[in-house]
Amino acid sequence: MKKRILSAIVGTAVLGFAAGTASAATLDDVKSKDSLQCGVSQGLPGFSNPDQDGNWSGLDVDFCRAVAAAIFGDASKVKFTPLSAKERFTALQSGDVDILSRNTTWTMSRDTALGLNFSVVNYYDGQGFMVRKDLGVNSALELSGASICTNTGTTTELNVADYFRANNMEYELVAFEKADEVVAAYDAGRCDVYTTDQSGLYAQRLKLTDPAAHVVLPEIISKEPLGPVVRQGDDQWLNIIKWTHFAMLNAEELGVTQANVDEMKNSDNPSIKRLLGTEGEFGGAIGLSNDWAYNVIKEIGNYGESFDRNVGPDTPLAISRGVNAQWNDGGLQYGPPIR
Amino acid sequence: MALQDVSQDVGQPKVALFNDPKVRGWVYQVVLLVVIVYLVVVGVQNMFANLAAQNIASGFGFIGRNAGFAISQSLLEYNQAESSYGKVYIVGLLNTISIAFIGILLATVLGFLIGIARLSHNFIVRGVATVYVEIFRNIPLLLHIFIWYFGVLRLLPHPRNSGDLGWLGLLNNRGWFAPKPLPQELFFITAIAFIVGIVVTIFISRWSRQRQAKTGQQFPVFWTGMGLILGLPVLVFLVTGLPLEFDYPVAGGFRPSGGMTVIPEFIAMLLALSTYTAAFIAEIVRAGIMAVNKGQTEASHALGLRHGPTLRLVIIPQAMRVIIPPLTSQYLNLTKNSSLAVAIAYPDLVSVFAGTALNQTGQAVEILGMTMLTYLGLSLLTAAFMNWYNAKMALVER
């Protein structure tokens, strides 16, 4: 009996180690699971937010659905894992999620020391401050001595520290683990200031009891390029993520939309032909079918459509394109050519 | 034992080495040890190999690096511009210890009161205690924490119209701004008087116990002790000319300045932890007292002891033997539960070190390892102290 237990222990140990070493090709894993595991936020309107029935929507959610559409031709083959700011990198490192699409800021230390790769920037953001209107504050420079609510484990804590130090101001930082608790504490008056990425401020303001009583200050104190993250060491997977985003950008630039994508298949424009896979073998080069980009646009639409649907001027967030416009519109979004 | 004695009487029978139970026992132990050591070594090697393969930074070099973020409560001088991750660890640890220590004291006092109230002959007192225990024991702790936190926050006024507590300072939803004591030059004499009072009281109580054992005469140890520990320092304090001043907080700006601050997260966490754990301690105390046979009370009364001495000299010493072991695990629970503080932004070890520092450095294995060892150490220390106390209270057989 003892012997059998012992051999069982040794056996599982050896098997366990063997399984631990063999997981390089994320695309094969995703295909064999028949779904993409996508790490998202625990609820940030406009970016990744579940509705009452548990259906996720938002810019970051759209991106995961687009990747699923590129792989499976079916945008619904995604499972979402809500992650706190604290858990997100560990979840990706350990393989719990295949892609982290969770308004995550691209910084050098995260890109180099965590064993992760940032792929593209799907939203250019910057950190801002929100205060109560009746406080009578017009600039972040008037905030010396204020109590500031934010999330733990984010770049915002460090940015606030730098900004207040640089301007010789005092402050008290109250850092919560979950965004909902930050909102609740700010709403209850624990803090004078709520700080996070400016897009997040517009989104979280909707959750306050009286959104109109709060104002986002004009200062932007940091660069926050947000984008999807993958594990290091799987170039094919990184390529799929990058080119899914670029395909959505190119589609917008070329005027290919969810509505007209079927007509566009007959277009004579060689750029559109290469994008939609009627010419060339670009899908095969990243391990996908040739109509990968067609599927993305058919199911999700181009980048501009996704932006307008989730955060654009007609949504409650009412964020203008700004730096997130196409390069030829004065923005920073630039899709390298498919050729 | 008995079996061994018999075999020794008969003399060791000759058996093959392989069949000797002693040898076999040793072989099994050694094999098990080798397997465990092997698994640990392989596991650790595997971890480092995988970390290196995935390009994840490892090692403890981060401890000396500058942390660069602020912490809302720090018992030490903490400066976000210069302090390192090592300092963050110590600040977080001290915050955890302070909430656990004060929480344990409060929970014990409250728990004993409610536990005794549950055995009261007064219907209302008993009823209130029962309702308290049932409510607090049966709601998850995290909800307690949220209720206290957001309840406390909503009740307190905005800093612009802070509640004035007079000589206790100011109270608003940024915390309790208490006057900060500033000891002056001669204050050390008062401190010395306090220590002298404690030492002398200990000697007096020993002497009086010995005298009572010899002659039966009693000595008012309690009142003498109170006089020495409290009266003497107060007298010295007055004689040396009140060598203590206070820095009072002044309202203004975003929050009052000066004084010292007790943040609302600390207050909420303390209330939640101690009221929750007190419900369990109350049940342990009740069980302990009920475990003492009624005959003990009757025997004590028959010997002529009145109700007070019966409780103090007969019931409680016996009840403590039942109470202490489960009480220890409640103390350990309270310490570990303090890690829920992260939910309401109380900067404990889990929040600042296993939270923010972990996220900034990305070194999960090292930081979580350190945090786990720290909690293990804290728990073992608490348990060691309680075991010592338990051994002291245990039945001494003569």
Side-chain angles (χ1 to χ4, degrees):
Chain A
M1 191 60 201
K2 240 179 192 168
K3 243 185 197 165
R4 220 179 295 160
I5 293 170
L6 202 74
S7 57
I9 292 172
V10 174
T12 35
V14 170
L15 278 178
F17 295 137
T21 49
S23 68
T26 313
L27 180 61
D28 296 339
D29 286 355
V30 170
K31 277 183 174 163
S32 67
K33 278 188 298 188
D34 202 35
S35 74
L36 176 74
Q37 199 72 39
C38 170
V40 290
S41 79
Q42 290 162 319
L44 179 65
F47 288 84
S48 42
N49 202 33
D51 66 10
Q52 287 158 337
D53 306 322
N55 298 316
W56 289 84
S57 66
L59 194 69
D60 288 339
V61 165
D62 270 3
F63 187 78
C64 281
R65 292 200 204 280
V67 173
I71 297 170
F72 301 111
D74 180 355
S76 66
K77 288 192 175 177
V78 192
K79 288 181 183 152
F80 294 101
T81 309
L83 296 168
S84 75
K86 203 173 112 181
E87 300 158 346
R88 53 184 164 180
F89 298 121
T90 320
L92 183 61
Q93 285 166 344
S94 63
D96 282 352
V97 294
D98 303 310
I99 171 175
L100 182 70
S101 183
R102 192 206 169 280
N103 49 291
T104 300
T105 305
W106 186 344
T107 68
M108 181 164 173
S109 63
R110 285 175 176 177
D111 205 2
T112 53
L114 300 185
L116 304 176
N117 266 338
F118 282 77
S119 49
V120 291
V121 178
N122 69 341
Y123 189 92
Y124 288 96
D125 210 338
Q127 187 176 340
F129 296 108
M130 178 161 67
V131 295
R132 279 182 185 69
K133 272 183 187 156
D134 61 19
L135 214 55
V137 169
N138 297 315
S139 156
L141 292 168
E142 299 166 25
L143 291 177
S144 186
S147 299
I148 301 179
C149 281
T150 190
N151 270 82
T152 57
T154 62
T155 46
T156 56
E157 273 176 280
L158 301 182
N159 293 333
V160 164
D162 288 352
Y163 183 77
F164 277 72
R165 204 160 85 201
N167 291 299
N168 254 326
M169 301 195 294
E170 294 284 315
Y171 71 105
E172 178 200 25
L173 188 82
V174 189
F176 295 83
E177 187 177 18
K178 288 172 80 177
D180 283 341
E181 280 137 24
V182 188
V183 175
Y186 173 72
D187 213 13
R190 172 66 182 92
C191 298
D192 307 294
V193 185
Y194 180 6
T195 185
T196 188
D197 297 345
Q198 216 171 37
S199 63
L201 291 178
Y202 284 109
Q204 303 291 16
R205 185 164 67 169
L206 303 174
K207 293 184 185 168
L208 298 171
T209 14
D210 181 12
H214 301 266
V215 60
V216 175
L217 296 178
E219 281 90 351
I220 291 217
I221 64 165
S222 69
K223 289 188 285 187
E224 306 285 336
L226 311 181
V229 196
V230 294
R231 279 181 294 278
Q232 217 171 59
D234 189 348
D235 292 351
Q236 182 194 35
W237 186 244
L238 180 63
N239 281 337
I240 292 173
I241 305 301
K242 278 199 298 201
W243 285 97
T244 303
H245 179 62
F246 294 151
M248 288 171 80
L249 287 180
N250 280 320
E252 187 187 14
E253 198 183 334
L254 296 166
V256 183
T257 66
Q258 197 169 9
N260 71 8
V261 65
D262 284 312
E263 295 166 42
M264 283 292 187
K265 256 194 156 171
N266 308 320
S267 162
D268 294 331
N269 183 336
S271 294
I272 295 177
K273 282 183 140 179
R274 285 193 294 268
L275 173 71
L276 298 182
T278 45
E279 194 181 295
E281 285 290 335
F282 296 101
I286 53 172
L288 302 176
S289 64
N290 220 24
D291 57 353
W292 62 285
Y294 166 81
N295 289 330
V296 169
I297 296 152
K298 180 79 189 161
E299 302 247 343
I300 303 299
N302 64 38
Y303 179 76
E305 287 178 296
S306 177
F307 190 98
D308 290 341
R309 187 166 60 224
N310 294 305
V311 298
D314 297 333
T315 64
L317 271 75
I319 299 175
S320 62
R321 278 297 282 273
V323 287
N324 288 296
Q326 287 280 344
W327 62 283
N328 49 9
D329 251 354
L332 292 170
Q333 291 293 0
Y334 187 106
I338 295 176
R339 59 163 61 250
Chain B
M1 278 307 240
L3 281 175
Q4 261 184 357
D5 292 340
V6 171
S7 71
Q8 269 170 0
D9 288 345
V10 179
Q12 288 280 357
K14 294 257 173 192
V15 285
L17 203 59
F18 181 73
N19 283 331
D20 186 339
K22 250 190 188 166
V23 175
R24 282 181 93 160
W26 272 102
V27 169
Y28 283 138
Q29 301 288 332
V30 169
V31 168
L32 186 66
L33 187 70
V34 167
V35 169
I36 290 172
V37 168
Y38 170 80
L39 287 179
V40 169
V41 168
V42 169
V44 169
Q45 274 179 348
N46 189 52
M47 179 193 82
F48 279 116
N50 277 334
L51 286 178
Q54 293 186 33
N55 287 320
I56 299 175
S58 62
F60 286 93
F62 71 92
I63 286 184
R65 251 184 276 144
N66 185 4
F69 58 90
I71 300 178
S72 59
Q73 176 191 305
S74 167
L75 298 181
L76 296 174
E77 193 66 32
Y78 176 84
N79 178 347
Q80 54 162 342
E82 289 149 23
S83 296
S84 64
Y85 284 113
K87 194 71 176 278
V88 169
Y89 169 79
I90 292 170
V91 167
L93 177 62
L94 287 178
N95 285 345
T96 292
I97 291 177
S98 58
I99 195 101
F101 185 74
I102 302 175
I104 283 174
L105 290 184
L106 263 182
T108 309
V109 171
L110 199 59
F112 270 77
L113 287 179
I114 295 164
I116 291 167
R118 282 210 71 178
L119 295 169
S120 167
H121 294 295
N122 183 320
F123 170 75
I124 295 176
V125 171
R126 197 172 63 229
V128 168
T130 308
V131 168
Y132 176 93
V133 167
E134 293 307 334
I135 287 182
F136 278 79
R137 202 167 54 150
N138 293 316
I139 295 176
L141 178 56
L142 192 59
L143 287 178
H144 275 294
I145 295 174
F146 282 135
I147 290 167
W148 280 113
Y149 185 51
F150 289 108
V152 164
L153 278 189
R154 301 241 180 231
L155 282 178
L156 293 174
H158 191 264
R160 287 199 180 166
N161 33 30
S162 306
D164 198 339
L165 303 178
W167 60 275
L168 281 176
L170 302 167
L171 191 66
N172 57 45
N173 62 14
R174 301 297 141 77
W176 172 31
F177 295 81
K180 188 179 185 179
L182 300 170
Q184 305 293 305
E185 248 176 86
L186 291 174
F187 187 73
F188 76 97
I189 305 181
T190 309
I192 291 174
F194 181 67
I195 295 169
V196 168
I198 291 177
V199 173
V200 172
T201 308
I202 291 172
F203 275 110
I204 289 182
S205 88
R206 266 200 202 152
W207 163 80
S208 104
R209 217 176 305 140
Q210 280 170 3
R211 194 180 69 155
Q212 193 181 348
K214 249 189 247 164
T215 65
Q217 275 178 298
Q218 290 190 341
F219 186 82
V221 176
F222 180 77
W223 294 112
T224 324
M226 288 300 269
L228 281 168
I229 295 174
L230 295 179
L232 187 66
V234 169
L235 195 70
V236 171
F237 184 67
L238 292 174
V239 168
T240 49
L242 309 173
L244 186 66
E245 284 178 6
F246 286 95
D247 173 22
Y248 281 94
V250 185
F254 283 105
R255 57 216 241 81
S257 53
M260 55 183 191
T261 319
V262 182
I263 56 175
E265 288 78 23
F266 180 85
I267 301 171
M269 201 61 212
L270 186 64
L271 288 173
L273 278 178
S274 50
T275 51
Y276 177 78
T277 313
F280 291 89
I281 293 180
E283 285 299 272
I284 291 169
V285 169
R286 186 172 72 110
I289 292 176
M290 284 175 77
V292 180
N293 197 312
K294 197 164 178 256
Q296 296 280 332
T297 318
E298 289 168 350
S300 164
H301 286 167
L303 285 172
L305 288 175
R306 264 174 298 173
H307 194 68
T310 301
L311 204 65
R312 196 156 45 84
L313 299 172
V314 178
I315 313 251
I316 289 184
Q318 296 187 74
M320 283 311 273
R321 288 176 197 140
V322 181
I323 291 173
I324 292 171
L327 190 63
T328 308
S329 54
Q330 287 307 322
Y331 287 175
L332 299 184
N333 277 349
L334 190 144
T335 311
K336 288 177 288 179
N337 285 341
S338 72
S339 62
L340 287 172
V342 67
I344 58 162
Y346 177 71
D348 77 323
L349 186 66
V350 170
S351 173
V352 295
F353 191 64
T356 310
L358 166 63
N359 221 271
Q360 307 295 5
T361 60
Q363 294 187 269
V365 175
E366 291 84 353
I367 288 184
L368 289 180
M370 275 174 78
T371 312
M372 278 158 66
L373 282 180
T374 307
Y375 275 97
L376 183 67
L378 280 182
S379 294
L380 290 181
L381 274 179
T382 315
F385 173 77
M386 291 304 284
N387 286 343
W388 167 80
Y389 186 57
N390 192 31
K392 206 171 152 258
M393 294 299 287
L395 192 64
V396 184
E397 292 183 5
R398 284 178 239 242

